[in-house]
Amino acid sequence: MNYFLCVAREENITKAAEKLHITQPTLSRQLAQLEEEMGVMLFTRGTRKISLTYEGSLLRRRAEEILELVHKAEKEVSHQNEVIEGTIAIGCGDLYAVQVLAGIIHAFTAIYPHVDFELYTASSDHIKERIEKGLSDIGLLLEPVDLSKYDFIRISKKEKWVALVPAASPLADKETLTPEDFLGVPMILPYRLNMQSELANWFGDLYPQLHVLFKSNLNSNAAVMVQQGLACALAIEGSLSFWNQNLVKCIGLSPQLSATTAMAWKREQPLSLAVSKFIEFSKDYLHSKTAV
């Protein structure tokens, strides 16, 4: 897999062989054996450049996931000892809950300084997919989301839905926006079907009348479209601190619409010692904050 990925990146067998510190004939034989085992052609070989076939592109994606998983497994196995160390892989979206996560990590690393973290940002559906594949240990998942296969801690602080509108829009002067305000306005809605259902419930009978110009899986990309004056977006407020408030106005909704976030991990999944400690620590941390 390493040989295959190196050739895919370099697009040249000679350069790949140099990087791998092996001879070109050896690398060529390895590739030929791989293609024979797979039963398909993985590369299109040109005079100066070697490129992936469609089947090769599919294998590249899986090979990257496989090697990432192998690397993660090696770290976990090597760190199973009395000293709590290792890497915890966490997936999350653009949420207020990330600020809560930062507080947990700050307190946790003060006690367990040998633990480090990998933070992967994506939609809840993508984060769940990574947890299923073993690439992420824990996910911050914006509800509604199916948690039937997961253990989880629900974060008490609500995520608030807001509207993002261009600063030059007539809507920018309003204190709150109602469903009627969005009629005839180009809109950006979330990509996730569960979130679309939540918004459809908020809009009621007006939902089919919306002019949906985009669907976006991350609020940061939606904000760029709003900044350029292309549309208005509905988004979770937690990520707004990263955007230019002079160009994009954030306005509350009326009636208010909110959502919850769950810190979730796969049920009955073997966990490294570091991940297990982090989950128990997070439970105590969040319980103490709720009790205050």
Side-chain angles (χ1 to χ4, degrees):
M1 291 294 101
N2 276 316
Y3 288 178
F4 167 75
L5 288 176
C6 187
V7 174
R9 286 191 297 267
E10 296 299 322
E11 298 182 334
N12 183 283
I13 291 182
T14 302
K15 290 182 180 179
E18 290 174 356
K19 283 188 173 286
L20 294 167
H21 304 291
I22 60 175
T23 65
Q24 182 176 333
T26 299
L27 181 56
S28 295
R29 282 196 302 273
Q30 292 286 338
L31 295 179
Q33 289 174 9
L34 179 60
E35 288 180 320
E36 185 178 349
E37 290 175 6
M38 300 292 294
V40 294
M41 295 294 294
L42 301 173
F43 293 97
T44 301
R45 293 161 174 80
T47 54
R48 296 190 178 185
K49 182 179 177 181
I50 184 170
S51 57
L52 290 172
T53 62
Y54 174 74
E55 292 80 6
S57 297
L58 291 178
L59 180 61
R60 178 176 186 170
R61 177 184 171 188
R62 297 305 180 196
E64 288 171 343
E65 292 177 350
I66 289 167
L67 290 181
E68 183 179 352
L69 189 57
V70 168
H71 179 63
K72 185 173 183 293
E74 288 173 345
K75 281 187 175 181
E76 290 175 350
V77 171
S78 64
H79 291 314
Q80 295 293 347
N81 49 48
E82 289 302 315
V83 177
I84 307 301
E85 56 185 2
T87 299
I88 301 173
I90 302 176
C92 60
D94 290 333
L95 303 167
Y96 170 84
V98 176
Q99 298 182 40
V100 178
L101 175 64
I104 297 173
I105 292 175
H106 183 76
F108 183 81
T109 53
I111 302 173
Y112 304 107
H114 299 293
V115 175
D116 57 67
F117 295 82
E118 293 176 354
L119 199 61
Y120 187 93
T121 304
S123 67
S124 292
D125 290 340
H126 191 179
I127 295 303
K128 280 185 63 180
E129 183 179 324
R130 286 180 61 84
I131 294 176
E132 290 293 331
K133 293 177 179 178
L135 300 175
S136 290
D137 300 306
I138 299 168
L140 292 183
L141 305 178
L142 181 68
E143 297 183 286
V145 63
D146 183 9
L147 294 171
S148 59
K149 297 180 180 179
Y150 295 81
D151 289 323
F152 61 91
I153 316 163
R154 194 164 270 125
I155 294 174
S156 59
K157 174 69 176 181
K158 297 284 188 178
E159 303 283 352
K160 181 181 175 183
W161 281 95
V162 295
L164 304 179
V165 304
S169 168
L171 298 179
D173 296 327
K174 291 180 173 286
E175 291 187 4
T176 60
L177 294 174
T178 66
E180 291 78 8
D181 289 320
F182 295 103
L183 292 179
V185 177
M187 294 292 299
I188 303 173
L189 296 185
Y191 188 83
R192 285 180 60 205
L193 292 177
N194 285 341
M195 295 172 73
Q196 291 177 34
S197 297
E198 285 288 296
L199 293 174
N201 185 59
W202 184 77
F203 276 105
D205 294 338
L206 297 179
Y207 187 75
Q209 302 178 42
L210 294 180
H211 174 199
V212 180
L213 187 60
F214 297 102
K215 291 178 182 175
S216 176
N217 68 326
L218 287 178
N219 292 335
S220 52
N221 288 335
V224 173
M225 301 301 174
V226 174
Q227 182 177 313
Q228 295 300 314
L230 291 171
C232 296
L234 293 177
I236 292 296
E237 188 180 29
S239 56
L240 298 185
S241 59
F242 303 108
W243 301 340
N244 188 333
Q245 299 294 300
N246 294 322
L247 300 175
V248 177
K249 297 298 181 181
C250 168
I251 303 175
L253 302 180
S254 180
Q256 287 190 0
L257 181 63
S258 61
T260 52
T261 303
M263 179 185 290
W265 56 97
K266 191 73 179 292
R267 185 176 296 129
E268 299 178 358
Q269 177 84 6
L271 301 172
S272 70
L273 186 57
V275 173
S276 297
K277 286 288 186 182
F278 183 78
I279 288 172
E280 292 305 313
F281 184 89
S282 297
K283 290 178 180 178
D284 293 339
Y285 181 96
L286 293 172
H287 178 73
S288 66
K289 293 297 181 182
T290 304
V292 172

